[in-house]
Amino acid sequence: MTNRFIIKTLVALIAITLGANINAEAQKNKKGQTQSAQPQTGIPKANSNGAVVKFKYNNVEACSWNPATLELTMLIDEGGNTAGTVIKLDPVTGDFKTSTGEGKGTISNDGVIFSPNLGALILTEGGLVKRGTETIGRILEGTTSNLFDMGVTVWYRDSPELIGRNININKVSKLLATYVYYGLLMTDKKLTLHLLGYEPDRKFTTDELNEMIKWNDQESIDKILQFESSRPYAGFKETHPEFKDCKVGGVGLMEGQWNDGNNWWYIDYWVVYELTDGRNIVTFSTARKKFRYGDVEERFRKIDGRFNEVSDWKRK
């Protein structure tokens, strides 16, 4: 082996080593640049190169976020906020305030959020949004070009059902998205509606119930009336003892026919119960029978805990 060969080999090894180190450093720098381009996971800091993004709520642009000035600008009236209101974030304290000094809640690096409408919230590492021990929502990360999934998506994951929202983590952090959706735009009333599927305090009018009627088939109505009237406490003895001795005041068919459901025939309907305490309560259910022209054999609640009062029901 000649000295010239040994020298050439050493030079080649040095070149390979240097090249590997240079490439590794370049990859490290590239990775670091990619990470620094993403929003902070905690309280956002001003980013002069960041583009303005818009939060949409129920398919409408609700507010915009300017990462350079750390300002949220309301674009519509929502959540007790007025269109045109500018809400600025203090990156040190995490406080949100309007231009007039009105407090609009706070966020902190540990995921604790104090919201104007829902009070104290916690964002977990897994993206769950909690109020006390109750899970009220979930923030999902995504990288799609569409910044947000604007509608309300119900996730059948836990109980109660979770309101899921998809965000683009390359544009905003989960903490900021949680503050906007659950702290700024959400209200107690809307949250209850989303979690339960109905407004518990809503009162229906007789006209509203009549508008839901699609079919006035007396034979079908009589069969449902017969089934409803045959059940003590209207079938709610264990959960609603106030239904004792109630009377079925009326039934409205909410579909234009009985539907064929593979070995079962079914139809949606509302029924008004006349309680002995003077209240008239409506519920929404599905009647089922095995034979097309047979009697009703089962009742399924559309929403199990839903009971709403009818404000102007006239008892016969």
Side-chain angles (χ1 to χ4, degrees):
M1 184 179 293
T2 64
N3 291 335
R4 181 179 296 177
F5 179 79
I6 294 173
I7 292 172
K8 285 184 176 180
T9 302
L10 289 173
V11 170
L13 288 172
I14 292 171
I16 292 172
T17 302
L18 287 174
N21 289 337
I22 291 171
N23 183 60
E25 188 66 24
Q27 292 296 327
K28 181 179 179 181
N29 291 338
K30 182 178 180 181
K31 184 178 179 181
Q33 291 173 358
T34 301
Q35 290 177 340
S36 64
Q38 293 181 353
Q40 303 90 339
T41 56
I43 301 174
K45 308 299 180 185
N47 180 1
S48 59
N49 296 320
V52 173
V53 295
K54 294 180 179 179
F55 290 85
K56 292 185 179 179
Y57 191 70
N58 293 333
N59 295 318
V60 177
E61 292 181 349
C63 63
S64 63
W65 167 251
N66 188 332
T69 62
L70 300 179
E71 290 177 334
L72 284 164
T73 301
M74 292 300 303
L75 303 177
I76 60 173
D77 295 342
E78 190 67 52
N81 304 289
T82 305
T85 300
V86 177
I87 304 170
K88 190 175 181 64
L89 169 67
D90 184 324
V92 177
T93 64
D95 293 341
F96 286 94
K97 291 184 179 180
T98 67
S99 55
T100 61
E102 178 187 0
K104 285 291 183 178
T106 63
I107 58 176
S108 59
N109 291 322
D110 59 3
V112 176
I113 300 165
F114 289 95
S115 64
N117 296 328
L118 299 185
L121 305 174
I122 296 176
L123 174 65
T124 70
E125 290 185 2
L128 296 182
V129 183
K130 292 180 173 290
R131 183 167 65 167
T133 59
E134 181 185 22
T135 299
I136 64 171
R138 185 184 184 195
I139 293 290
L140 300 176
E141 296 178 345
T143 56
T144 58
S145 58
N146 186 20
L147 179 57
F148 296 107
D149 177 10
M150 311 311 172
V152 174
T153 302
V154 179
W155 297 85
Y156 295 91
R157 178 183 174 90
D158 294 313
S159 181
E161 296 165 357
L162 304 183
I163 307 165
R165 299 185 186 281
N166 297 327
I167 67 168
N168 188 325
I169 59 174
N170 293 322
K171 295 187 178 181
V172 295
S173 68
K174 288 193 295 185
L175 185 63
L176 179 63
T178 302
Y179 167 78
V180 171
Y181 279 134
Y182 296 94
L184 192 64
L185 302 178
M186 184 66 72
T187 64
D188 258 318
K189 184 175 182 179
K190 287 188 292 186
L191 179 62
T192 299
L193 173 61
H194 291 320
L195 293 179
L196 295 181
Y198 69 98
E199 297 178 56
D201 297 328
R202 178 181 175 184
K203 292 186 178 182
F204 285 89
T205 65
T206 303
D207 285 343
E208 287 176 322
L209 294 181
N210 288 336
E211 284 294 320
M212 300 178 191
I213 295 176
K214 305 299 182 188
W215 193 27
N216 283 315
D217 181 61
Q218 193 60 49
E219 181 181 354
S220 298
I221 293 173
D222 289 341
K223 288 183 177 181
I224 293 174
L225 281 170
Q226 181 181 7
F227 175 84
E228 289 282 351
S229 300
S230 68
R231 299 163 65 85
Y233 293 78
F236 306 120
K237 182 177 181 179
E238 300 301 325
T239 57
H240 293 275
E242 67 273 18
F243 274 69
K244 181 180 180 180
D245 297 328
C246 70
K247 296 181 179 179
V248 179
V251 167
L253 303 177
M254 299 170 63
E255 296 183 276
Q257 62 181 6
W258 286 88
N259 304 287
D260 186 354
N262 291 327
N263 300 323
W264 285 95
W265 292 85
Y266 66 92
I267 192 169
D268 292 344
Y269 68 97
W270 56 254
V271 55
V272 175
Y273 302 104
E274 298 174 352
L275 275 57
T276 57
D277 62 11
R279 290 180 299 153
N280 303 299
I281 304 297
V282 64
T283 66
F284 302 88
S285 304
T286 300
R288 296 209 315 176
K289 56 185 181 179
K290 287 186 178 180
F291 305 102
R292 184 169 186 174
Y293 300 104
D295 293 331
V296 174
E297 298 183 42
E298 293 184 3
R299 174 188 67 190
F300 287 87
R301 306 295 309 288
K302 300 299 290 183
I303 300 178
D304 194 47
R306 182 176 186 177
F307 296 88
N308 292 98
E309 191 170 346
V310 184
S311 60
D312 60 349
W313 183 261
K314 302 297 183 183
R315 299 188 178 189
K316 297 181 178 62

